[in-house]
Amino acid sequence: MSSNLIDEKKIKDSFALIGQEQIFRFWDDLNKTERSILLDQLIKIDPLECKGAWEEINFSTPPALNPQPPNAINSTDPLDSALVSMHESGEEMLAKGKVAAFTVAGGQGTRLGYNGPKGTFPCTPIKKYSLFQHFAESLSFFTKRFGKCPRWFIMTSHENHAQTKQYFERNQFFGLDKNRITFFQQGMMPAFSMDGKMLLQEKNQLVMSPNGHGGSLKALVESGSIALMEEEEIDCISYFQVDNPMVYCMDPTFIGLHKAGGSEMSSKAVKKLSPKERVGTFVQIGETLQVMEYSDIPPQISSEKLKNGSLRFGLGSIAIHLLERNFVNRVAGSKKIKRQGLKYHGAHKKVCCLDNKGSRVDPQKPNAIKAETFVFDALPLAHNPLLMEINRKEEFGPIKNPTGSDSRASSEKLQISRNQRWLKVLGEVGKLNKVEISPLFAPTLPFFLEQTSKFPIDPKKLSKDSALIELQNTK
């Protein structure tokens, strides 16, 4: 028997053993090339992981026993004098090159009515720079400050990987050292029918979908990024998602607190706007800090209030984390030592697929379950997890929707308001309809005050329709 036939039999047997032999139901209809395409796809998929994912999705998790509000370090004022030493400690780590930036950027702009990777979507009020350029300018600030470009890891998707790389190449990597930027793709998982059968997109192709933002940890390992960090003695990873232009990409205060607490994973939190806000909720269960996804948290917990009328469980997750390199390797780098890795969750979605006769199904309601992991599920696995409450108006203005809340318009409004507040720290400022402060000048409020102490800005001269504060102010 040839090696090709042996491989074919091995692959077929491995999927039959987990009850998925139906994916070969059109095998006899396929020619040699079509069969090879299917086998090439299947050889990249771990059948046992798929089996485990389905079991976890259908495993009934008991309700949380007596959840409590978690303890959080209050950092809602970035200029709090009590945090100065933490800021200095974080700067020291940045100066030594101990921290890398990590952007999760697998999304497309389809939901925004935009054709292209979401990271290429314009986000700033005046210059209309893209999210990627905005973050690149923030990292350029640190490059200039410390003399070396921080490592920047960008996780793309199968859908937008090539476009993202081409965008950076066309823009000369926004002045950053291209050798310090690493692109890699998110992992994929088969989509399941409601009864757990892997769905076919074509007779020789499974329906595949991204494995959730938790898959970013596994992708860091499998792409060789963690090994690269180890070579360069990078200890800490600053994780943020591509849709939030107000994020502090590198926050020295956060880094300093993370280091001082001996934390393996630290998270930022904001006060939720309402019980129904679509963000995860931080809770403390025994000794464990956890996040309950908005779709999973019981209403009696999410809506519970204190005597002053505020939410008892009022701290929401905004997908900003610091993770230790060794922790990521432990959670995602080994073959699952009985669920050392992250738990799979099921998302009900509408998926075009083939029925048993090979006819295409275009469903009108959810017909499939996509297997996803959540990065915040790593918190219960971490030693000394730390939670830091920040002011949402300072660091959270995501662009997710075409209109309304969490849209480009709402984000620009929040950015302008933040920039106006920064200027007011310097003195009285006239009414500005628009103001944009380039991250090249200062990416955070503490750095803004430091910069303006060296290169003063006269607030009175900004009293016009709009103001753009860029790097040239430092000349």
Side-chain angles (χ1 to χ4, degrees), residues 383-403:
H383 297 306
N384 302 320
L386 179 144
L387 186 59
M388 174 175 162
E389 183 185 351
I390 59 170
N391 183 343
R392 71 184 296 148
K393 292 181 180 179
E394 180 68 20
E395 300 184 47
F396 191 51
I399 301 174
K400 298 175 181 289
N401 304 316
T403 58

Side-chain angles (χ1 to χ4, degrees), residues 214 216-218 220-221 226 229-230 234-237 239 258 262-267 289 321-334 339-342 374-386:
S216 61
L217 306 188
K218 186 178 178 183
L220 278 171
V221 175
I226 290 294
M229 291 182 207
E230 188 171 5
I234 295 170
D235 296 329
C236 184
I237 304 163
Y239 172 108
H258 172 82
S263 175
E264 287 189 319
M265 181 173 180
S266 297
S267 302
L289 177 65
H321 309 283
L322 291 173
L323 300 116
E324 289 295 292
R325 182 199 73 227
N326 289 336
F327 172 63
V328 173
N329 204 33
R330 190 177 84 236
V331 170
S334 58
R339 299 322 313 163
Q340 174 63 63
L342 305 183
F374 301 149
V375 70
F376 52 66
D377 277 345
L379 276 170
L381 306 175
H383 297 306
N384 302 320
L386 179 144

Side-chain angles (χ1 to χ4, degrees), residues 174-190:
F174 305 103
L176 297 173
D177 180 352
K178 67 179 182 180
N179 297 314
R180 303 287 294 169
I181 303 176
T182 302
F183 302 92
F184 58 89
Q185 293 184 47
Q186 182 173 10
M188 305 286 281
M189 281 288 284

Side-chain angles (χ1 to χ4, degrees), residues 157-176:
S157 63
H158 176 75
E159 189 175 19
N160 74 8
H161 184 75
Q163 284 180 294
T164 299
K165 290 186 70 176
Q166 289 163 6
Y167 179 73
F168 273 79
E169 289 163 0
R170 283 198 309 272
N171 289 280
Q172 289 80 49
F173 295 84
F174 305 103
L176 297 173

